[in-house]
Amino acid sequence: QVQLVQSGAEVKKPGASVRVSCKASGYTFTNYGISWVRQAPGQGLEWLGWISAYNGHTYYAQKFQGRVTMTTDTSTSTAYMEVTSLISDDTAVYYCARDDALVGTRGFYFDDWGQGTLVTVSS
Amino acid sequence: EILLTQSPATLSLSPGERATLSCRASQTVSTYLAWYQHRPGQAPRLLIYSASNRATGIPARFSGSGSGTDFTLTISSLEPEDFAVYYCQQRFDWPVTFGPGTKLDIK
């Protein structure tokens, strides 16, 4: 069965960076991509962007361009998301979700999610 | 970017009642729309994909309808575990967008 296991909770100071990992199993990692979604306290779901584990292409939501970097390590079937220049508004639970391998795809829905990683930004 | 709006923001109902949740897109998304259930402390759960198809393992009391810009999620008879937040999501165009959510709470 598909499993996405994320790294543990993090506490960071404003201005710092954080990297969250998402280790995939139960499917061929390079046949798919990974999207990242977050939920801040009291807020809704917000999509940050996507990376293809097939070819390494990325697509970032405009709001996060320049501050978020997504990478993959195909040797360990792991996706990573780094957020830099953290502010208090970045306090959220961050989720990874299995997505399609190619940008522009229509109709691929998030049936498989990681358990979430709480990132707290506080001085 | 395609904007999704959901109504109502909060819906207060009792177990056994019927729930009707709406999602409207700022432009057509054809039928490339999904519904997710999100309970506190859990990952979101895919309920409905492509507007009207139940995901694997989703009970028959959940149904979706609509196309173009207007969509509906219906829960025919609420169970205690259905009280959660529901989000719509479009996969017609990039970037992926979610609606702001409808909180379904117990009356």
Side-chain angles (χ1 to χ4, degrees), chain A residues 39 99 105-106 108 110, chain B residues 32 36 38 42 91-92 94:
Chain A
Q39 184 185 36
D99 202 341
T105 297
R106 289 176 169 168
F108 196 103
F110 299 162
Chain B
Y32 294 103
Y36 295 84
H38 197 195
Q42 298 184 16
R91 287 308 312 253
F92 179 79
W94 289 52

Side-chain angles (χ1 to χ4, degrees), chain A:
Chain A
Q1 75 284 16
V2 173
Q3 277 198 304
L4 299 172
V5 179
Q6 298 183 223
S7 48
E10 302 265 11
V11 179
K12 296 292 182 180
K13 293 192 184 303
S17 299
V18 68
R19 190 174 80 154
V20 178
S21 67
C22 171
K23 184 171 175 60
S25 61
Y27 69 97
T28 301
F29 184 65
T30 50
N31 285 355
Y32 295 88
I34 294 286
S35 268
W36 291 88
V37 177
R38 76 178 186 181
Q39 184 185 36
Q43 305 298 309
L45 299 177
E46 182 174 34
W47 184 77
L48 286 80
W50 161 93
I51 182 166
S52 172
Y54 170 68
N55 57 21
H57 289 180
T58 54
Y59 187 111
Y60 301 123
Q62 188 169 14
K63 174 179 178 178
F64 299 103
Q65 285 179 6
R67 211 162 64 87
V68 168
T69 302
M70 296 176 187
T71 57
T72 60
D73 181 346
T74 56
S75 69
T76 61
S77 299
T78 302
Y80 298 91
M81 181 193 61
E82 182 178 35
V83 184
T84 60
S85 303
L86 288 165
I87 60 175
S88 58
D89 286 353
D90 292 319
T91 294
V93 177
Y94 290 77
Y95 296 97
C96 59
R98 187 170 66 146
D99 202 341
D100 202 1
L102 300 176
V103 71
T105 297
R106 289 176 169 168
F108 196 103
Y109 304 99
F110 299 162
D111 208 3
D112 300 294
W113 296 73
Q115 82 277 20
T117 297
L118 174 61
V119 175
T120 303
V121 183
S122 174
S123 55

Side-chain angles (χ1 to χ4, degrees), chain B residues 5-8 20-24 35 70-73 88 101-102:
Chain B
T5 56
Q6 292 186 240
S7 61
T20 303
L21 288 67
S22 295
C23 175
R24 174 166 288 178
W35 291 93
D70 291 295
F71 300 87
T72 301
L73 173 70
C88 56
T102 290

